[in-house]
PDB file of all heavy atoms in Angstrom:
ATOM      1  N   GLY A   1     -14.973   9.061  -0.864  1.00  0.00           N
ATOM      2  CA  GLY A   1     -15.560   9.829   0.171  1.00  0.00           C
ATOM      3  C   GLY A   1     -16.827  10.542  -0.224  1.00  0.00           C
ATOM      4  O   GLY A   1     -17.001  10.906  -1.420  1.00  0.00           O
ATOM      5  N   PHE A   2     -17.681  10.829   0.676  1.00  0.00           N
ATOM      6  CA  PHE A   2     -19.013  11.388   0.483  1.00  0.00           C
ATOM      7  C   PHE A   2     -18.949  12.732  -0.264  1.00  0.00           C
ATOM      8  O   PHE A   2     -19.649  12.994  -1.194  1.00  0.00           O
ATOM      9  CB  PHE A   2     -19.745  11.681   1.831  1.00  0.00           C
ATOM     10  CG  PHE A   2     -21.194  12.145   1.775  1.00  0.00           C
ATOM     11  CD1 PHE A   2     -22.204  11.300   1.519  1.00  0.00           C
ATOM     12  CD2 PHE A   2     -21.412  13.524   1.864  1.00  0.00           C
ATOM     13  CE1 PHE A   2     -23.585  11.776   1.409  1.00  0.00           C
ATOM     14  CE2 PHE A   2     -22.642  13.966   1.786  1.00  0.00           C
ATOM     15  CZ  PHE A   2     -23.765  13.152   1.604  1.00  0.00           C
ATOM     16  N   ALA A   3     -17.923  13.530   0.144  1.00  0.00           N
ATOM     17  CA  ALA A   3     -17.862  14.929  -0.417  1.00  0.00           C
ATOM     18  C   ALA A   3     -16.925  15.057  -1.603  1.00  0.00           C
ATOM     19  O   ALA A   3     -16.847  16.095  -2.232  1.00  0.00           O
ATOM     20  CB  ALA A   3     -17.378  15.894   0.701  1.00  0.00           C
ATOM     21  N   SER A   4     -16.215  13.955  -1.975  1.00  0.00           N
ATOM     22  CA  SER A   4     -15.212  14.063  -3.021  1.00  0.00           C
ATOM     23  C   SER A   4     -15.653  13.717  -4.417  1.00  0.00           C
ATOM     24  O   SER A   4     -16.575  12.876  -4.622  1.00  0.00           O
ATOM     25  CB  SER A   4     -14.068  13.114  -2.619  1.00  0.00           C
ATOM     26  OG  SER A   4     -13.100  13.048  -3.681  1.00  0.00           O
ATOM     27  N   ALA A   5     -15.127  14.398  -5.377  1.00  0.00           N
ATOM     28  CA  ALA A   5     -15.387  14.069  -6.729  1.00  0.00           C
ATOM     29  C   ALA A   5     -14.322  13.237  -7.236  1.00  0.00           C
ATOM     30  O   ALA A   5     -14.555  12.338  -8.160  1.00  0.00           O
ATOM     31  CB  ALA A   5     -15.453  15.364  -7.644  1.00  0.00           C
ATOM     32  N   LEU A   6     -13.074  13.258  -6.765  1.00  0.00           N
ATOM     33  CA  LEU A   6     -12.027  12.440  -7.199  1.00  0.00           C
ATOM     34  C   LEU A   6     -10.981  12.404  -6.030  1.00  0.00           C
ATOM     35  O   LEU A   6     -10.549  13.544  -5.511  1.00  0.00           O
ATOM     36  CB  LEU A   6     -11.383  12.974  -8.461  1.00  0.00           C
ATOM     37  CG  LEU A   6     -10.152  12.194  -9.013  1.00  0.00           C
ATOM     38  CD1 LEU A   6     -10.448  10.692  -9.328  1.00  0.00           C
ATOM     39  CD2 LEU A   6      -9.525  12.873 -10.260  1.00  0.00           C
ATOM     40  N   THR A   7     -10.601  11.199  -5.764  1.00  0.00           N
ATOM     41  CA  THR A   7      -9.574  11.099  -4.598  1.00  0.00           C
ATOM     42  C   THR A   7      -8.489  10.117  -4.957  1.00  0.00           C
ATOM     43  O   THR A   7      -8.745   9.088  -5.626  1.00  0.00           O
ATOM     44  CB  THR A   7     -10.185  10.563  -3.363  1.00  0.00           C
ATOM     45  OG1 THR A   7     -11.117  11.493  -2.866  1.00  0.00           O
ATOM     46  CG2 THR A   7      -9.106  10.250  -2.247  1.00  0.00           C
ATOM     47  N   TYR A   8      -7.217  10.505  -4.725  1.00  0.00           N
ATOM     48  CA  TYR A   8      -6.019   9.692  -4.839  1.00  0.00           C
ATOM     49  C   TYR A   8      -5.582   9.337  -3.449  1.00  0.00           C
ATOM     50  O   TYR A   8      -5.312  10.171  -2.644  1.00  0.00           O
ATOM     51  CB  TYR A   8      -4.889  10.293  -5.647  1.00  0.00           C
ATOM     52  CG  TYR A   8      -5.219  10.572  -7.057  1.00  0.00           C
ATOM     53  CD1 TYR A   8      -5.623  11.872  -7.536  1.00  0.00           C
ATOM     54  CD2 TYR A   8      -5.167   9.489  -8.010  1.00  0.00           C
ATOM     55  CE1 TYR A   8      -5.921  12.132  -8.913  1.00  0.00           C
ATOM     56  CE2 TYR A   8      -5.516   9.750  -9.371  1.00  0.00           C
ATOM     57  CZ  TYR A   8      -5.811  11.026  -9.761  1.00  0.00           C
ATOM     58  OH  TYR A   8      -6.191  11.250 -11.068  1.00  0.00           O
ATOM     59  N   ASP A   9      -5.398   7.985  -3.180  1.00  0.00           N
ATOM     60  CA  ASP A   9      -4.901   7.562  -1.890  1.00  0.00           C
ATOM     61  C   ASP A   9      -3.447   7.156  -2.115  1.00  0.00           C
ATOM     62  O   ASP A   9      -3.071   6.543  -3.125  1.00  0.00           O
ATOM     63  CB  ASP A   9      -5.732   6.400  -1.337  1.00  0.00           C
ATOM     64  CG  ASP A   9      -6.893   6.728  -0.473  1.00  0.00           C
ATOM     65  OD1 ASP A   9      -7.093   7.977  -0.340  1.00  0.00           O
ATOM     66  OD2 ASP A   9      -7.463   5.847   0.061  1.00  0.00           O
ATOM     67  N   PHE A  10      -2.557   7.466  -1.064  1.00  0.00           N
ATOM     68  CA  PHE A  10      -1.221   7.007  -1.073  1.00  0.00           C
ATOM     69  C   PHE A  10      -1.119   5.883  -0.050  1.00  0.00           C
ATOM     70  O   PHE A  10      -1.600   6.038   1.062  1.00  0.00           O
ATOM     71  CB  PHE A  10      -0.277   8.147  -0.678  1.00  0.00           C
ATOM     72  CG  PHE A  10       0.012   9.118  -1.809  1.00  0.00           C
ATOM     73  CD1 PHE A  10      -0.908  10.074  -2.174  1.00  0.00           C
ATOM     74  CD2 PHE A  10       1.270   9.130  -2.497  1.00  0.00           C
ATOM     75  CE1 PHE A  10      -0.688  10.997  -3.174  1.00  0.00           C
ATOM     76  CE2 PHE A  10       1.490  10.010  -3.508  1.00  0.00           C
ATOM     77  CZ  PHE A  10       0.513  10.933  -3.812  1.00  0.00           C
ATOM     78  N   GLU A  11      -0.382   4.867  -0.434  1.00  0.00           N
ATOM     79  CA  GLU A  11      -0.135   3.739   0.521  1.00  0.00           C
ATOM     80  C   GLU A  11       1.411   3.469   0.518  1.00  0.00           C
ATOM     81  O   GLU A  11       2.007   3.533  -0.532  1.00  0.00           O
ATOM     82  CB  GLU A  11      -0.820   2.451   0.075  1.00  0.00           C
ATOM     83  CG  GLU A  11      -2.393   2.642   0.061  1.00  0.00           C
ATOM     84  CD  GLU A  11      -3.080   1.348  -0.443  1.00  0.00           C
ATOM     85  OE1 GLU A  11      -2.377   0.517  -1.025  1.00  0.00           O
ATOM     86  OE2 GLU A  11      -4.258   1.198  -0.120  1.00  0.00           O
ATOM     87  N   VAL A  12       1.924   3.355   1.732  1.00  0.00           N
ATOM     88  CA  VAL A  12       3.341   2.959   1.816  1.00  0.00           C
ATOM     89  C   VAL A  12       3.394   1.451   2.319  1.00  0.00           C
ATOM     90  O   VAL A  12       2.528   0.891   2.921  1.00  0.00           O
ATOM     91  CB  VAL A  12       4.039   3.815   2.856  1.00  0.00           C
ATOM     92  CG1 VAL A  12       4.104   5.286   2.370  1.00  0.00           C
ATOM     93  CG2 VAL A  12       3.498   3.717   4.268  1.00  0.00           C
ATOM     94  N   TYR A  13       4.552   0.918   1.912  1.00  0.00           N
ATOM     95  CA  TYR A  13       4.640  -0.606   2.143  1.00  0.00           C
ATOM     96  C   TYR A  13       5.371  -0.733   3.537  1.00  0.00           C
ATOM     97  O   TYR A  13       6.332  -0.175   3.838  1.00  0.00           O
ATOM     98  CB  TYR A  13       5.498  -1.246   1.098  1.00  0.00           C
ATOM     99  CG  TYR A  13       5.581  -2.764   1.295  1.00  0.00           C
ATOM    100  CD1 TYR A  13       4.420  -3.589   1.055  1.00  0.00           C
ATOM    101  CD2 TYR A  13       6.764  -3.343   1.733  1.00  0.00           C
ATOM    102  CE1 TYR A  13       4.457  -4.916   1.210  1.00  0.00           C
ATOM    103  CE2 TYR A  13       6.826  -4.807   1.908  1.00  0.00           C
ATOM    104  CZ  TYR A  13       5.665  -5.554   1.633  1.00  0.00           C
ATOM    105  OH  TYR A  13       5.596  -6.878   1.764  1.00  0.00           O
ATOM    106  N   SER A  14       4.711  -1.527   4.363  1.00  0.00           N
ATOM    107  CA  SER A  14       5.196  -1.862   5.717  1.00  0.00           C
ATOM    108  C   SER A  14       5.910  -3.227   5.598  1.00  0.00           C
ATOM    109  O   SER A  14       5.244  -4.291   5.573  1.00  0.00           O
ATOM    110  CB  SER A  14       4.047  -1.838   6.717  1.00  0.00           C
ATOM    111  OG  SER A  14       4.426  -2.416   7.904  1.00  0.00           O
ATOM    112  N   ALA A  15       7.245  -3.188   5.657  1.00  0.00           N
ATOM    113  CA  ALA A  15       7.943  -4.478   5.289  1.00  0.00           C
ATOM    114  C   ALA A  15       7.835  -5.522   6.419  1.00  0.00           C
ATOM    115  O   ALA A  15       7.773  -6.701   6.073  1.00  0.00           O
ATOM    116  CB  ALA A  15       9.506  -4.102   5.102  1.00  0.00           C
ATOM    117  N   ALA A  16       7.720  -5.190   7.636  1.00  0.00           N
ATOM    118  CA  ALA A  16       7.671  -6.193   8.726  1.00  0.00           C
ATOM    119  C   ALA A  16       6.290  -6.770   8.734  1.00  0.00           C
ATOM    120  O   ALA A  16       6.154  -8.019   8.981  1.00  0.00           O
ATOM    121  CB  ALA A  16       8.063  -5.604  10.086  1.00  0.00           C
ATOM    122  N   GLN A  17       5.272  -5.993   8.412  1.00  0.00           N
ATOM    123  CA  GLN A  17       3.803  -6.461   8.413  1.00  0.00           C
ATOM    124  C   GLN A  17       3.520  -7.071   7.015  1.00  0.00           C
ATOM    125  O   GLN A  17       2.542  -7.762   6.886  1.00  0.00           O
ATOM    126  CB  GLN A  17       2.951  -5.406   8.764  1.00  0.00           C
ATOM    127  CG  GLN A  17       3.108  -4.747  10.130  1.00  0.00           C
ATOM    128  CD  GLN A  17       1.991  -3.665  10.320  1.00  0.00           C
ATOM    129  OE1 GLN A  17       0.815  -3.859  10.537  1.00  0.00           O
ATOM    130  NE2 GLN A  17       2.567  -2.459  10.396  1.00  0.00           N
ATOM    131  N   LYS A  18       4.433  -6.780   6.026  1.00  0.00           N
ATOM    132  CA  LYS A  18       4.091  -7.164   4.620  1.00  0.00           C
ATOM    133  C   LYS A  18       2.744  -6.833   4.173  1.00  0.00           C
ATOM    134  O   LYS A  18       2.032  -7.603   3.613  1.00  0.00           O
ATOM    135  CB  LYS A  18       4.344  -8.773   4.550  1.00  0.00           C
ATOM    136  CG  LYS A  18       5.757  -9.197   4.963  1.00  0.00           C
ATOM    137  CD  LYS A  18       5.847 -10.653   4.916  1.00  0.00           C
ATOM    138  CE  LYS A  18       7.276 -11.132   5.311  1.00  0.00           C
ATOM    139  NZ  LYS A  18       7.380 -12.653   5.294  1.00  0.00           N
ATOM    140  N   ARG A  19       2.455  -5.479   4.393  1.00  0.00           N
ATOM    141  CA  ARG A  19       1.119  -4.949   3.937  1.00  0.00           C
ATOM    142  C   ARG A  19       1.292  -3.531   3.564  1.00  0.00           C
ATOM    143  O   ARG A  19       2.260  -2.827   4.025  1.00  0.00           O
ATOM    144  CB  ARG A  19       0.045  -5.287   4.944  1.00  0.00           C
ATOM    145  CG  ARG A  19       0.312  -4.636   6.305  1.00  0.00           C
ATOM    146  CD  ARG A  19      -0.744  -5.135   7.333  1.00  0.00           C
ATOM    147  NE  ARG A  19      -2.031  -4.634   7.053  1.00  0.00           N
ATOM    148  CZ  ARG A  19      -2.651  -3.690   7.561  1.00  0.00           C
ATOM    149  NH1 ARG A  19      -2.052  -2.945   8.634  1.00  0.00           N
ATOM    150  NH2 ARG A  19      -3.846  -3.281   7.272  1.00  0.00           N
ATOM    151  N   TRP A  20       0.273  -3.015   2.877  1.00  0.00           N
ATOM    152  CA  TRP A  20       0.220  -1.679   2.527  1.00  0.00           C
ATOM    153  C   TRP A  20      -0.507  -0.800   3.546  1.00  0.00           C
ATOM    154  O   TRP A  20      -1.576  -1.273   3.951  1.00  0.00           O
ATOM    155  CB  TRP A  20      -0.317  -1.419   1.122  1.00  0.00           C
ATOM    156  CG  TRP A  20       0.442  -2.017   0.008  1.00  0.00           C
ATOM    157  CD1 TRP A  20       0.380  -3.238  -0.448  1.00  0.00           C
ATOM    158  CD2 TRP A  20       1.563  -1.322  -0.719  1.00  0.00           C
ATOM    159  NE1 TRP A  20       1.302  -3.402  -1.542  1.00  0.00           N
ATOM    160  CE2 TRP A  20       2.029  -2.236  -1.697  1.00  0.00           C
ATOM    161  CE3 TRP A  20       2.039  -0.025  -0.639  1.00  0.00           C
ATOM    162  CZ2 TRP A  20       3.012  -1.920  -2.562  1.00  0.00           C
ATOM    163  CZ3 TRP A  20       3.106   0.271  -1.505  1.00  0.00           C
ATOM    164  CH2 TRP A  20       3.603  -0.602  -2.382  1.00  0.00           C
ATOM    165  N   LEU A  21      -0.090   0.382   3.949  1.00  0.00           N
ATOM    166  CA  LEU A  21      -0.692   1.168   4.883  1.00  0.00           C
ATOM    167  C   LEU A  21      -1.026   2.547   4.182  1.00  0.00           C
ATOM    168  O   LEU A  21      -0.248   3.213   3.581  1.00  0.00           O
ATOM    169  CB  LEU A  21       0.216   1.526   6.032  1.00  0.00           C
ATOM    170  CG  LEU A  21       0.683   0.306   6.805  1.00  0.00           C
ATOM    171  CD1 LEU A  21       1.754   0.773   7.857  1.00  0.00           C
ATOM    172  CD2 LEU A  21      -0.362  -0.553   7.447  1.00  0.00           C
ATOM    173  N   GLU A  22      -2.333   2.930   4.271  1.00  0.00           N
ATOM    174  CA  GLU A  22      -2.733   4.203   3.681  1.00  0.00           C
ATOM    175  C   GLU A  22      -2.185   5.389   4.639  1.00  0.00           C
ATOM    176  O   GLU A  22      -2.305   5.410   5.786  1.00  0.00           O
ATOM    177  CB  GLU A  22      -4.270   4.341   3.623  1.00  0.00           C
ATOM    178  CG  GLU A  22      -4.725   5.645   3.159  1.00  0.00           C
ATOM    179  CD  GLU A  22      -6.274   5.845   3.366  1.00  0.00           C
ATOM    180  OE1 GLU A  22      -6.969   4.886   3.472  1.00  0.00           O
ATOM    181  OE2 GLU A  22      -6.672   7.064   3.587  1.00  0.00           O
ATOM    182  N   VAL A  23      -1.512   6.366   3.937  1.00  0.00           N
ATOM    183  CA  VAL A  23      -0.944   7.447   4.649  1.00  0.00           C
ATOM    184  C   VAL A  23      -1.522   8.817   4.152  1.00  0.00           C
ATOM    185  O   VAL A  23      -1.240   9.834   4.805  1.00  0.00           O
ATOM    186  CB  VAL A  23       0.583   7.462   4.629  1.00  0.00           C
ATOM    187  CG1 VAL A  23       1.102   6.243   5.306  1.00  0.00           C
ATOM    188  CG2 VAL A  23       1.049   7.512   3.119  1.00  0.00           C
ATOM    189  N   SER A  24      -2.138   8.862   3.041  1.00  0.00           N
ATOM    190  CA  SER A  24      -2.686  10.158   2.510  1.00  0.00           C
ATOM    191  C   SER A  24      -3.759   9.971   1.552  1.00  0.00           C
ATOM    192  O   SER A  24      -3.940   9.001   0.843  1.00  0.00           O
ATOM    193  CB  SER A  24      -1.533  10.928   1.800  1.00  0.00           C
ATOM    194  OG  SER A  24      -1.986  12.069   1.150  1.00  0.00           O
ATOM    195  N   SER A  25      -4.753  10.983   1.624  1.00  0.00           N
ATOM    196  CA  SER A  25      -5.801  11.084   0.671  1.00  0.00           C
ATOM    197  C   SER A  25      -5.713  12.469   0.127  1.00  0.00           C
ATOM    198  O   SER A  25      -5.642  13.444   0.862  1.00  0.00           O
ATOM    199  CB  SER A  25      -7.161  10.846   1.246  1.00  0.00           C
ATOM    200  OG  SER A  25      -7.350   9.432   1.531  1.00  0.00           O
TER     201      SER A  25
END
């Protein structure tokens, strides 16, 4: 992100879609 020096993103696994969804930065 423009203002960030360091960011950790959290992703949870969506089993029916079989993909990862970002839920937090």
Side-chain angles (χ1 to χ4, degrees):
F2 184 85
S4 176
L6 177 60
T7 294
Y8 292 102
D9 270 6
F10 282 77
E11 298 178 340
V12 297
Y13 187 70
S14 170
Q17 299 179 70
K18 299 179 182 177
R19 59 189 295 258
W20 293 93
L21 303 176
E22 180 196 329
V23 294
S24 173
S25 289

